[in-house]
Amino acid sequence: MIAFISSLLLGACNDGESAAAGAPASAKPANTDFVVLGMGCFWGAEKRMSALPGVIDVESGYANGDGDASYEAVLAREKALRSGKGAGRNHAEVVKVFFDPARTDLEKVLIQFWENHDPTQGDRQGNDIGSNYRSAIYTRNDAQQTLAVQTRDRYQRALSAKGLGKISTDIAPLRNYTAAEDYHQDYLRKNPNGYCGLGGTGVKYPQAQAGASSIQPDVAKAPPLDGKTLNLARQLVVFEADDCAYCRQFKAAVLDHWQSPVAVVRTLSTSAPTGWTLEKSLFATPTIVLFEQGREVSRYTGFNGESARFWQWLGYRLLTPEQQKIAFEQGTERPFTGSNLDEKRPGTFVDPVSGVALFRTDSKFESGTGWPSFFNPLPGAITLHEDVSMGMRRVEVRSASSGIHLGHVFDDGPPPTHKRYCINGNVLRFVPDAGKPAR
């Protein structure tokens, strides 16, 4: 999956300790049964299936394809197939689920399988695209095959009742299987912040038996937010999961310092706020969805610490085209045309995306250049970067919180700093001090 994940921001799940995860082969009872399941990326599938009581061990592997079965071979074959230069059927990334029939049964295992991923997506799972990520049940005997079809049909009725599509799961006898490389085994136990899609449609398997669980039990039980209590005009909703390390990282890096003018709220539900609409189901956490008038208009999935990328996504929804050109393309407004040039009231000039304070009016001075000029930023508000564009060597000024381009700094300002922070007024939002009405 790395070939596709490298260019995408996807969610991650923090791996909890599990008796099933990493259990040695010698721990398996003599009557252990197994079934082979494809649920997209096998790292997350291994974790999810290990969480089911009665599952003894889960092994990542490759199954029911043609040719060599190794990570590199599977990626190469998929690339050839997608470019029209290959033939045959690629192996699927699968997990071999060993379970103790005295503690659980195949139906409970399959309920966990259906609720743990979206089986309607064909040759993909979320943003992992390719036949190697197909949904699959590969059976070892006729009884398994029959039960796989029966549970599929029952789950299809539940999906159809919710308006979801047709199940595309490949259900077939297991014809070949190869264990994946050692570094893929127990991957999330070794790499707690590793990739792990949320998966799932949010639809429960009908009349699920005791012991069966969905992808994340706490998430499945969480009620949706009440749309009437939110900001109808513009609202951000952060969809999270209890065991999501990247959700905690996003909270620490972004939400704990939130000053943006956009209202934001967090939820463990996988459903849209009541009366509101998601464009498609969620497949990973965190997923940050921007709603306007109760409808999804944009979403940002995953977080790996690159806050500037999140703010750029949000900025493209909040800023005008002229502001976007300055903020994200290092553009410059024409002198004497920007906002805030003549603003002299006591107050603060803030980042228009993050809302973080940048400059105070008492550091503003008349430079005669046609751009708002300041001799001192607020502590920690900006970062400086070398700029050799346009045949000049200058020092670029960016907002430390969002990373947007603000302007440049020069050494011809007044005391005490003798600096002139020459800033584009159109990427400043002025907030007057209390009691000073905004114009």
Side-chain angles (χ1 to χ4, degrees):
M1 69 294 297
I2 292 172
F4 298 105
I5 294 169
S6 60
S7 63
L8 298 166
L9 283 176
L10 299 174
C13 299
N14 188 24
D15 182 49
E17 292 298 325
S18 167
S26 59
K28 300 183 181 71
N31 64 340
T32 296
D33 199 357
F34 74 84
V35 66
V36 174
L37 306 171
M39 302 158 62
C41 169
F42 45 30
W43 298 341
E46 181 183 62
K47 170 185 166 61
R48 300 305 186 193
M49 298 310 297
S50 296
L52 181 65
V55 168
I56 300 163
D57 191 20
V58 182
E59 179 182 78
S60 294
Y62 313 99
N64 276 41
D66 302 319
D68 294 339
S70 69
Y71 185 62
E72 295 301 329
V74 167
L75 289 181
R77 176 176 286 274
E78 192 60 32
K79 183 177 180 180
L81 289 171
R82 295 184 68 188
S83 65
K85 298 178 181 178
R89 182 66 156 153
N90 201 4
H91 293 280
E93 283 194 15
V94 297
V95 287
K96 193 173 189 179
V97 182
F98 296 89
F99 59 96
D100 180 358
R103 298 173 55 202
T104 191
D105 56 40
L106 180 61
E107 183 176 13
K108 291 188 180 72
V109 172
L110 293 178
I111 290 171
Q112 183 85 338
F113 164 81
W114 293 120
E115 293 184 347
N116 263 333
H117 75 304
D118 185 344
T120 70
Q121 295 187 320
D123 285 345
R124 67 178 299 171
Q125 193 62 211
N127 276 356
D128 288 334
I129 300 172
S131 61
N132 48 320
Y133 298 111
R134 63 188 179 267
S135 173
I137 303 174
Y138 295 132
T139 57
R140 58 183 302 193
N141 52 46
D142 290 343
Q144 286 194 350
Q145 183 79 12
T146 298
L147 187 58
V149 172
Q150 289 176 347
T151 58
R152 177 200 64 192
D153 293 346
R154 174 173 288 186
Y155 196 56
Q156 180 65 73
R157 289 192 289 272
L159 292 178
S160 298
K162 296 293 186 179
L164 299 179
K166 184 177 181 180
I167 290 175
S168 58
T169 303
D170 183 18
I171 301 178
L174 179 66
R175 60 184 179 90
N176 54 51
Y177 171 84
T178 301
E181 295 80 355
D182 286 345
Y183 68 89
H184 287 304
Q185 307 300 335
D186 300 318
Y187 184 86
L188 291 178
R189 183 167 58 86
K190 302 171 188 172
N191 303 275
N193 289 335
Y195 164 71
C196 170
L198 171 67
T201 60
V203 177
K204 295 287 290 182
Y205 184 85
Q207 301 176 355
Q209 300 181 24
S213 61
S214 61
I215 302 169
Q216 305 206 18
D218 291 337
V219 172
K221 295 176 183 177
L225 297 168
D226 183 356
K228 295 179 180 178
T229 67
L230 305 179
N231 191 322
L232 182 63
R234 179 176 282 162
Q235 175 78 54
L236 278 171
V237 177
V238 183
F239 293 91
E240 301 180 326
D242 273 342
D243 63 350
C244 172
Y246 284 180
C247 299
R248 293 190 292 273
Q249 189 177 10
F250 181 72
K251 179 180 180 296
V254 178
L255 295 180
D256 285 351
H257 314 283
W258 191 262
Q259 299 178 57
S260 174
V262 183
V264 65
V265 66
R266 301 159 60 203
T267 181
L268 291 176
S269 174
T270 58
S271 301
T274 56
W276 291 20
T277 304
L278 282 167
E279 289 299 308
K280 55 185 177 181
S281 60
L282 307 173
F283 67 87
T285 57
T287 294
I288 303 96
V289 177
L290 181 63
F291 292 91
E292 293 179 358
Q293 300 302 319
R295 298 187 63 85
E296 176 185 342
V297 295
S298 186
R299 70 171 57 186
Y300 186 95
T301 300
F303 184 76
N304 65 354
E306 296 184 2
S307 300
R309 294 186 65 181
F310 165 77
W311 290 118
Q312 182 174 353
W313 165 77
L314 184 58
Y316 270 109
R317 298 299 312 185
L318 303 183
L319 303 181
T320 67
E322 182 181 7
Q323 290 176 308
Q324 293 171 17
K325 186 173 182 179
I326 296 170
F328 305 121
E329 301 175 31
Q330 288 69 54
T332 302
E333 67 202 21
R334 289 185 294 112
F336 300 101
T337 65
S339 303
N340 299 301
L341 181 61
D342 299 322
E343 184 59 72
K344 298 177 181 178
R345 290 171 298 160
T348 305
F349 298 87
V350 306
D351 183 312
V353 183
S354 70
V356 172
L358 300 171
F359 301 93
R360 286 284 300 171
T361 308
D362 55 15
S363 71
K364 191 171 184 282
F365 68 97
E366 179 56 58
S367 66
T369 61
W371 291 280
S373 298
F374 305 85
F375 60 79
N376 208 25
L378 289 170
I382 64 165
T383 58
L384 303 179
H385 307 266
E386 184 181 21
D387 180 2
V388 295
S389 64
M390 302 177 66
M392 297 182 285
R393 184 176 295 277
R394 298 177 294 174
V395 178
E396 179 194 7
V397 179
R398 299 179 192 168
S399 169
S401 59
S402 69
I404 66 171
H405 171 76
L406 298 173
H408 293 86
V409 60
F410 303 94
D411 294 325
D412 57 4
T417 66
H418 299 285
K419 298 290 186 182
R420 173 170 58 93
Y421 293 87
C422 185
I423 306 300
N424 290 279
N426 286 334
V427 288
L428 296 176
R429 183 169 64 89
F430 181 69
V431 180
D433 289 345
K436 305 292 183 180
R439 291 188 298 191

